[in-house]
Amino acid sequence: MPDYNLETTCVQGGYTPDNGGPRQIPIIQSTTFKYATSEAMGKLFDLEAEGYFYSRLQNPTCDMVANKIRELEGGTAAMLTSSGQAANFFALFNICSCGDHIVSSSSIYGGTFNLISVTMAKMGIEVTFVSPDCTEEELNAAFRPNTKAVFGETIANPALTVLDIELFAKVAHAHGVPLIIDNTFATPVNCRPFQWGADIVTHSTTKYMDGHGACIGGAIVDSGNFDWMAHKEKFPGLTTPDDSYHGITYAEKFGQGGAFITKCTAQLMRDFGCTQSPQSAFILNLGLESLHVRMARHCENGQAVAEFLQSHPKIAYVNYCGLPGDKYHEVAKKYLPNGSCGVVSFGLKGGRKAAEAFMKELKIAAIETHVADARTCCLNPATSTHRQMTDEQLIAAGVPAELVRMSCGLESKEDLIADIAQALEAVEV
């Protein structure tokens, strides 16, 4: 597809119909694909030819949608996964193994925090968490000789910290490792991390990309900018022969722009099977077609709600980088000049009990373990998504016990503010 503006790519990227072909991407709801000879299929298993043989690894519908996300992010290769968690796990595990080490921002989604600090630790992969506000010196100090990746979120869920991507990329590259950025909340509409030095981008497509609470999914996009062969000793999985594929060396055969995603598909998707269904990919594509329109409205509503909350006497604090005076306002002007997202986090002066009472009184906003939807929703992360974390870990992650995360949908901002006002009126602080 030519280098169109992002709005056009949202609508038409990833798939161009043949003459007389279907205008909408086709749903290839098939587990397997027919070939005339064993030799033809054998070439697929040897990674000597392009094509499809089993939808656990690749499916045409999923690849069309992955290609659209690749175009939106400005990458060289992409893949879909069954969830955002699977995308983050694959992106890290693709280059890490037992005995390796990760540097990660401490201000990340609670599920990802557990993935890295608990589950991957059981696999022998250690992590050092650093503040998203750390200095260059503090970030450098977190590295070890066995560090293989740096991880962070453009806008952290739910603390809403904004990462200094350029700084984290600079330090990661100085140590010869890639920067992996979860860009779920910003989406490529509001931030394209590759432009600031990130190497791999992940998404929970369940959120804004789908935008309607209809399908769970994830995506991984490779920028094609990280030179794996220049750091051959650090990444043997990409730079040395893979015996499970007849000695193929991914970085040599598929180049700098294709090695990462090919290995991720051929090895990890083959062995873990975290596949997105063609039906879910089709639904995701419908959401992507309006992403550029919806994000503007989410940001407008988020800004209006944040401004209202900031002036309310029962609110202790508001986290929203669009507010002048917010801790991340200046860095957001650099990375998110057109807006951040529709998620606002805040604390009530009455603490956790007041937060729970407030949410019970809401009429429009529903209490859900979800975010970034067309419908407004909210939750108290300390008792839900971050429930496994200690009070000290909650504070380090920027999600104190009283914090409420509100995801502003596409409703009237006047109605949202009125709903919040009546709920606050009923709460004693």
Side-chain angles (χ1 to χ4, degrees):
M1 186 175 180
D3 189 18
Y4 290 127
N5 289 323
L6 184 139
E7 294 87 346
T8 303
T9 302
C10 280
V11 178
Q12 299 207 21
Y15 168 68
T16 301
D18 293 328
N19 186 41
R23 188 64 192 87
Q24 181 58 277
I25 66 169
I27 303 173
I28 310 299
Q29 193 66 51
S30 180
T31 59
T32 53
F33 301 84
K34 177 184 178 294
Y35 287 89
T37 66
S38 298
E39 290 80 7
M41 182 172 283
K43 290 181 180 179
L44 298 175
F45 277 90
D46 289 343
L47 304 182
E48 293 292 337
E50 293 185 1
Y52 302 92
F53 56 86
Y54 198 53
S55 282
R56 188 179 80 235
L57 279 84
Q58 285 181 286
N59 174 278
T61 305
C62 294
D63 280 358
M64 292 172 198
V65 182
N67 196 38
K68 176 179 283 191
I69 296 173
R70 176 196 64 76
E71 291 177 3
L72 289 171
E73 286 287 7
T76 58
M79 64 186 293
L80 299 186
T81 61
S82 58
S83 68
Q85 276 290 78
N88 283 332
F89 173 62
F90 275 23
L92 289 164
F93 198 61
N94 202 36
I95 51 177
C96 297
S97 58
C98 184
D100 288 338
H101 174 253
I102 297 164
V103 175
S104 173
S105 168
S106 62
S107 185
I108 56 176
Y109 169 59
T112 310
F113 187 96
N114 290 332
L115 167 69
I116 297 172
S117 65
V118 178
T119 302
M120 294 185 75
K122 294 176 181 178
M123 302 168 126
I125 300 169
E126 296 183 321
V127 60
T128 297
F129 289 105
V130 297
S131 167
D133 310 321
C134 65
T135 64
E136 185 171 342
E137 292 72 24
E138 290 169 335
L139 185 54
N140 271 303
F143 282 79
R144 303 176 187 174
N146 60 336
T147 301
K148 297 298 176 70
V150 180
F151 180 83
E153 297 179 2
T154 309
I155 307 170
N157 175 14
L160 302 184
T161 56
V162 179
L163 196 72
D164 189 342
I165 300 172
E166 203 165 32
L167 171 63
F168 273 66
K170 173 187 174 183
V171 176
H173 296 159
H175 290 269
V177 302
L179 173 62
I180 301 173
I181 290 291
D182 185 328
N183 198 34
T184 296
F185 268 17
T187 81
V189 172
N190 286 336
C191 183
R192 301 177 88 195
F194 295 156
Q195 295 179 346
W196 302 102
D199 301 290
I200 308 293
V201 159
T202 62
H203 286 276
S204 171
T205 61
T206 316
K207 309 304 191 297
Y208 285 121
M209 284 189 166
D210 166 27
H212 300 85
C215 62
I216 291 175
I220 309 171
V221 187
D222 182 11
S223 69
N225 293 330
F226 193 83
D227 189 346
W228 305 105
M229 293 303 290
H231 308 282
K232 186 174 182 178
E233 72 290 347
K234 282 184 176 288
F235 306 104
L238 285 162
T239 62
T240 60
D242 178 3
D243 292 338
S244 69
Y245 278 107
H246 308 291
I248 282 176
T249 299
Y250 294 98
E252 291 179 351
K253 184 170 182 62
F254 300 102
Q256 192 168 303
F260 186 89
I261 294 296
T262 302
K263 177 180 179 293
C264 205
T265 301
Q267 278 189 0
L268 302 189
M269 194 63 84
R270 174 196 65 189
D271 296 341
F272 289 96
C274 299
T275 313
Q276 184 163 150
S277 75
Q279 183 69 50
S280 290
F282 178 85
I283 294 170
L284 168 59
N285 189 60
L286 295 178
L288 288 169
E289 289 178 353
S290 63
L291 180 64
H292 58 296
V293 179
R294 291 185 288 105
M295 285 307 294
R297 182 58 175 265
H298 283 298
C299 292
E300 178 186 345
N301 284 355
Q303 184 73 31
V305 165
E307 290 173 359
F308 171 79
L309 289 167
Q310 187 181 45
S311 63
H312 200 283
K314 292 185 179 181
I315 299 299
Y317 59 86
V318 180
N319 299 325
Y320 192 74
C321 64
L323 294 173
D326 182 87
K327 183 178 181 180
Y328 297 98
H329 186 66
E330 291 304 314
V331 71
K333 287 199 295 187
K334 174 180 178 178
Y335 296 112
L336 304 157
N338 298 318
S340 56
C341 64
V343 182
V344 181
S345 64
F346 55 95
L348 278 77
K349 289 181 178 177
R352 188 189 299 220
K353 287 186 178 180
E356 292 176 351
F358 163 75
M359 292 192 297
K360 287 179 183 178
E361 296 294 331
L362 291 167
K363 309 301 181 188
I364 296 176
I367 300 174
E368 299 178 14
T369 309
H370 192 42
V371 70
D373 196 336
R375 293 161 291 269
T376 296
C377 55
C378 66
L379 84 163
N380 173 234
T383 56
S384 54
T385 56
H386 292 61
R387 193 180 186 92
Q388 296 84 357
M389 297 171 71
T390 65
D391 286 347
E392 291 76 16
Q393 288 173 329
L394 286 170
I395 292 170
V399 284
E402 76 281 358
L403 182 135
V404 173
R405 181 188 73 183
M406 178 168 284
S407 174
C408 300
L410 303 179
E411 304 93 345
S412 157
K413 61 186 175 185
E414 290 81 9
D415 288 343
L416 292 180
I417 290 171
D419 188 32
I420 293 168
Q422 64 83 26
L424 286 171
E425 187 69 27
V427 175
E428 293 184 7
V429 297

